[in-house]
Structures are given as C-alpha cells and as structure tokens.
Amino acid sequence: MLKTKKYHLWTIGCQMNEADSRHLASQLETIGFKSTPEPDNADLVVLNTCVVRQQAENKIYGRLGSLKTAKEKNPDLTIGLMGCMVGMKEAPTLKHRFPYVDVFMPPSDSTPLINYLERHHFLQELRNQEKSDRRLRDKIQDAKNLLPMNQRGNAVTAFVPIVLGCSHACTFCIIPYRRGVERSRRPNEILTEINTLVSQGIKEVMLLGQIVDRYGADLDQNESLSGLIRKIHEIDGLERIRFLTSHPNWMTDDLLYTVEELDKVCPHIEIPVQAGNNNVLANMRRGYTCEDYCKLIDRIRTIIPGATINTDIIVGFPNESHDQFNDTYQLVKDIEFDKIHISKYSTRPKTIATRKMIDDVTDDEKTERRNIIDEAQYEILERKNKSLLGQTLEVLVENKKKDRWFGRTMHNKLVFFDDPRNLLGKTIHVKIGKTSPYSLIGDPMN
Ligand code: SAH
C-alpha cells in the first residue's frame, strides 16, 4: 500500500484564483492526494498568488519565508507557486529568487505541477506498476483532462471562468501582464462544464472574466455573453446565474434585457467605476467619463428595476487631488452602490502608471480617502438594508458559519439564520428580523 500523499493549498486574490485552486484540488484528488489544513504535515504545498496590490504580494513573501524553513527540515516537501505572481513569464526570475520552489504555474494552468508530480512523486510507482497495473497512469491522464473547474465536496455555488486574460491596458493594472491576452472559452466547453457541475449538485454558477461582458469578442463565431447566458439558462437543475466583472464600455442593453428577462439570472451587476473624476479616469485610461457611467447606471436601473450594483474604486491614484477625490465621494453618495471594493492605489511593476506617473499621494492620505468612502458607504448600506426589515427573502443556502446557516438572495444580500435541518443547497424563505450594513439575520419560514 502506498502512503496517501497530502496537499495543502493556500489561495489569495480574486474569484478566478479561487476557481483555479478548486480545479487544481480536483486534479490532485483524482490522482490520490488528500487535502490537509496543516502545511506542516503536507507532502505538497501550493500557494496560489495575487499581485494586484503590494499588500497581497507581501503576504506571499511571508508564506514563502516559512516554506523555506519547512523545506530545510523536510527536503521531500514539494512546493508549487501558482497564479499572477508567476504570470506568463516571471518563472525564471522567481526560480532565481526562490530556488526552494519546485514548480511554477501561470494562472489557470496547473499542467506544470501535474507533469512534475508524474516525474518526481510517482515515477517509482509508475515503473513498478508498468506491467500489471495501469491505474495510476490513467488517473494522471484523467487529472490532465479534467475541464477547468470541477468541484469537490458539496459546494453549492461554482466559479466558471469564461474569459481568461485581459487585453485592456488600464494604467494601474498588472493583470494583462500576468494573465496574458484576452481569450474567451468555447461555449460548448463551458456548457459541458456547467452540466457536470450541476450533476455534482451545484445550484449557482458565477461566470468570470476580467471584462466578462466582452465574452465572445475574440471568438470567430458570433458569440456574446447574453447568447451564452441564454444557453446556460436552459440547463435543468441549475438555479442561478451571475457574472462578473463587467466593464462599463461593453455593457449592452441586450445583456441587461437578458438579465431582466431570464428567471435564473441574478439582478446583480458588478461594474467598477474606479474613480468619479474625468481627469483621473482619463489617466487610468478607463475609456469612459463619469457622465457615461452615470447614464449607464440609469440604464441598468431602468431596464432592471432594483438591480444590485457593485463597484470597485481606487483612491490615491497618481496626481489625484483632494477635489478630484471629492468627485468620487460625491459619485458614491449619488449612485448609492450596494457594495464597493475600495483599494488604496499601489504601484505595480511594468504598468503604465508606474512607468509614467509618480505615486504622489501619501499612504496616510490614501487611508483617509478610503475611510471617507467607507463611512459614506456604511451609512448608505445601513439605510438600504434597514428597508428589508420584516421582508421575507428567498435565500440559496451556501454553507454554515459557527453553527449558523448562511446564503444569498438573488440580489446578493448575505443572510444568516438558525435551523436544525440540513438545508445545504436548498432555497429557503427567510423573514428578516435584524439588519446590519453588511448582512441580514432572519427566521426561516416553512
Ligand atoms: N478587470 C476588472 C478588475 C480587476 S482587478 C476591471 O475591469 O475593473 C480588481 C480590482 O483591483 C480593480 O477593479 C481595482 O479596483 C483594483 N486594482 C487593480 N489594480 C490596482 C492597483 N494597482 N492599485 C490598487 N487597486 C488596484
């Protein structure tokens, strides 16, 4: 009997990374690895990395430091580094800096690890088995053939990358340099994958792309996100469809009408504005003005009344004056988003902003600007969520946290409730008894 090998997988960053990690986990389990929460007793540790901000990068250095010590104690430990830190071409430089890392994998590509395991971990077993038993070899082949993103366990919602990479050069953003050019996946492959997920019990899919509303623009056929969603909507057993992240310039009325028309598509749009001042937007090369953005928000709200609208904002972009920041603050107050991911600007290697602009807003000033937006948003959400008090909302139950069930509404509201039954994956009506800016608590109705 072979000793079961254990893997520990650590992930930071966006949903795309989460999807890549889940896919890798399925591959590792296909070839017989078991997951362990303890990196100390793992045979394989993989860090799936994010470098979109310096802060994320620093966390990885911390992790790498402790892995160096672990490797010194246990030279048999295999260490893999995956994701945007590796990008499409950073591996040789990283190998030089972190010689104790065994394998480097670009985003969404775990092949180097599977090949490495085949050569190093399993070579002996494969040789021994060569004559009598081809099972391990078959399993490795199965792992390689696994479609991106098969789920393990009893997950209810799944991330499905539909557009990989990005070809839009926002001046602040490192992603195009690390995830390569924009590539839409073929509709058939996506549909096969979602069918598999649904047969495994998945109820909700989140379609992912850096500019998800550009889906199909690079395919030769006449494909679009709304067309794809219409096909996905036909899948029996699937209950909910979400998509993110949309770029304002590519959001069409056709897509909005599709969201409004189809029952399974959540009225939930993630559409980063990044800044509320036209000069800052131009410096970011976002390709729209505040007026364009506000008109789009009106269009969304006209076509999909009550739609949830989430956004991303960067504060302290090079040259952003106090008045320019105030324009962003005003936009936040005017639009009343349902969620804002606020980031302090962070210079990223090779980006246009780093090459051509000076990071001249101090960190204290950035923190203050972030706090100002945070506070404004807190009040908005407190008020918005209070209006849900006493309402009965439909919640798809995703999991438990500290003995309490939680799930989301179609509008992406996070709802907690107590119930002794096993409700995982069920849609439950919950009467809201308590609200806070970031979540709701209620009682399940029968
Ligand atoms: N593709 C998406 C966003 C991808 S990155 C889009 O079109 O907007 C996720 C978020 O991280 C961005 O929306 C941005 O708000 C933030 N971000 C990206 N680069 C950053 C940087 N250099 N500094 C601070 N925040 C950044």
Side-chain angles (χ1 to χ4, degrees):
M1 259 306 271
L2 293 172
K3 179 176 156 284
T4 306
K5 306 213 185 216
K6 295 195 188 126
Y7 73 92
H8 175 80
L9 187 46
W10 179 82
T11 308
I12 50 169
C14 63
Q15 291 89 348
M16 199 69 101
N17 264 11
E18 196 57 48
D20 290 347
S21 284
R22 288 193 197 173
H23 176 233
L24 175 62
S26 320
Q27 288 181 303
L28 292 172
E29 292 184 15
T30 303
I31 54 180
F33 273 82
K34 291 267 174 289
S35 152
T36 171
E38 300 299 330
D40 290 346
N41 62 26
D43 304 280
L44 165 69
V45 176
V46 178
L47 307 184
N48 194 358
T49 62
C50 168
V51 291
V52 86
R53 284 178 289 275
Q54 185 65 44
Q55 213 184 6
E57 209 172 318
N58 293 344
K59 282 189 198 153
I60 307 164
Y61 295 137
R63 283 275 161 163
L64 280 169
S66 43
L67 285 178
K68 182 169 189 255
T69 320
K71 181 97 171 184
E72 278 157 9
K73 281 196 210 133
N74 171 19
D76 289 338
L77 173 67
T78 300
I79 302 174
L81 201 64
M82 183 176 187
C84 283
M85 180 172 258
V86 180
M88 311 306 261
K89 43 185 181 222
E90 310 298 322
T93 322
L94 290 169
K95 182 70 202 166
H96 198 69
R97 274 181 80 185
F98 308 106
Y100 50 93
V101 173
D102 301 286
V103 200
F104 297 89
M105 291 160 273
S108 310
D109 181 9
S110 49
T111 328
L113 178 65
I114 305 301
N115 288 341
Y116 180 92
L117 294 175
E118 191 173 17
R119 271 184 281 123
H120 295 264
H121 272 235
F122 294 122
L123 193 62
Q124 205 52 45
E125 283 98 312
L126 284 170
R127 280 207 185 114
N128 293 344
Q129 291 192 1
E130 192 70 89
K131 290 181 206 85
S132 54
D133 185 356
R134 297 187 61 82
R135 266 186 313 170
L136 179 58
R137 194 171 290 280
D138 291 346
K139 281 184 192 165
I140 293 174
Q141 204 47 51
D142 287 348
K144 286 184 183 170
N145 293 342
L146 211 60
L147 276 173
M149 247 317 290
N150 274 36
Q151 298 286 322
R152 305 159 297 139
N154 49 10
V156 176
T157 67
F159 297 124
V160 179
I162 63 168
V163 188
L164 305 177
C166 183
S167 300
H168 193 115
C170 297
T171 55
F172 53 81
C173 193
I174 194 173
I175 293 175
Y177 303 92
R178 297 299 171 94
R179 287 188 173 266
V181 295
E182 179 180 84
R183 289 103 65 206
S184 298
R185 291 175 62 204
R186 297 265 155 205
N188 283 347
E189 191 181 297
I190 297 168
L191 291 167
T192 308
E193 183 175 321
I194 298 178
N195 269 303
T196 311
L197 291 168
V198 169
S199 71
Q200 293 170 349
I202 289 295
K203 303 279 193 272
E204 173 180 305
V205 288
M206 174 102 77
L207 311 175
L208 303 178
Q210 295 303 333
I211 303 188
V212 75
D213 42 350
R214 266 183 60 83
Y215 175 78
D218 58 320
L219 294 177
D220 34 276
Q221 303 131 290
N222 222 348
E223 290 297 340
S224 66
L225 181 57
S226 59
L228 179 71
I229 287 177
R230 285 182 184 279
K231 291 181 198 142
I232 296 173
H233 196 262
E234 299 290 303
I235 296 176
D236 275 341
L238 181 68
E239 293 175 15
R240 290 182 179 185
I241 303 167
R242 298 182 200 271
F243 56 91
L244 65 88
T245 306
S246 297
H247 185 288
N249 288 12
W250 304 96
M251 179 56 71
T252 59
D253 283 358
D254 174 42
L255 179 56
L256 294 173
Y257 281 114
T258 302
V259 175
E260 172 57 12
E261 179 196 325
L262 302 181
D263 294 343
K264 295 179 184 177
V265 186
C266 297
H268 163 192
I269 309 285
E270 298 265 348
I271 193 144
V273 63
Q274 309 296 7
N277 173 277
N278 285 340
N279 286 327
V280 178
L281 284 175
N283 290 341
M284 290 177 164
R285 293 204 195 155
R286 287 290 290 179
Y288 51 84
T289 62
C290 296
E291 293 73 25
D292 297 334
Y293 189 86
C294 291
K295 267 191 215 142
L296 172 59
I297 298 298
D298 286 344
R299 247 167 69 208
I300 297 174
R301 287 181 167 156
T302 307
I303 298 175
I304 315 168
T308 287
I309 302 178
N310 295 351
T311 204
D312 296 1
I313 285 176
I314 298 177
V315 294
F317 187 77
N319 240 327
E320 184 188 67
S321 68
H322 214 271
D323 285 350
Q324 289 174 331
F325 164 73
N326 264 330
D327 291 343
T328 302
Y329 171 75
Q330 203 49 53
L331 179 124
V332 165
K333 301 267 275 188
D334 290 347
I335 293 188
E336 304 202 331
F337 292 104
D338 294 279
K339 190 177 193 178
I340 309 181
H341 309 268
I342 314 169
S343 312
K344 296 194 282 181
Y345 171 73
S346 162
T347 57
R348 305 285 63 217
K350 297 196 180 141
T351 57
I352 299 167
T354 297
R355 286 186 276 125
K356 307 218 164 131
M357 303 170 202
I358 299 166
D359 181 15
D360 55 359
V361 180
T362 64
D363 191 55
D364 284 348
E365 182 61 34
K366 286 176 189 168
T367 305
E368 193 178 322
R369 291 182 191 179
R370 187 190 61 196
N371 293 347
I372 290 171
I373 304 264
D374 248 340
E375 275 165 36
Q377 187 60 15
Y378 187 94
E379 277 169 30
I380 292 167
L381 289 182
E382 189 164 53
R383 183 161 34 81
K384 278 197 173 196
N385 281 356
K386 256 194 195 130
S387 72
L388 298 170
L389 202 65
Q391 289 194 23
T392 299
L393 306 178
E394 210 175 73
V395 176
L396 173 61
V397 184
E398 281 174 35
N399 212 335
K400 258 187 175 175
K401 198 177 206 172
K402 292 187 189 153
D403 284 340
R404 189 166 248 188
W405 291 109
F406 70 86
R408 271 161 223 279
T409 66
M410 292 283 274
H411 286 87
N412 206 40
K413 292 284 176 197
L414 180 61
V415 181
F416 289 90
F417 63 95
D418 290 313
D419 197 304
R421 295 171 293 176
N422 180 5
L423 296 174
L424 190 72
K426 300 272 186 295
T427 299
I428 298 294
H429 287 92
V430 180
K431 187 167 183 197
I432 303 306
K434 205 172 161 207
T435 70
S436 80
Y438 304 112
S439 63
L440 312 169
I441 302 176
D443 295 311
M445 316 294 284
N446 271 327

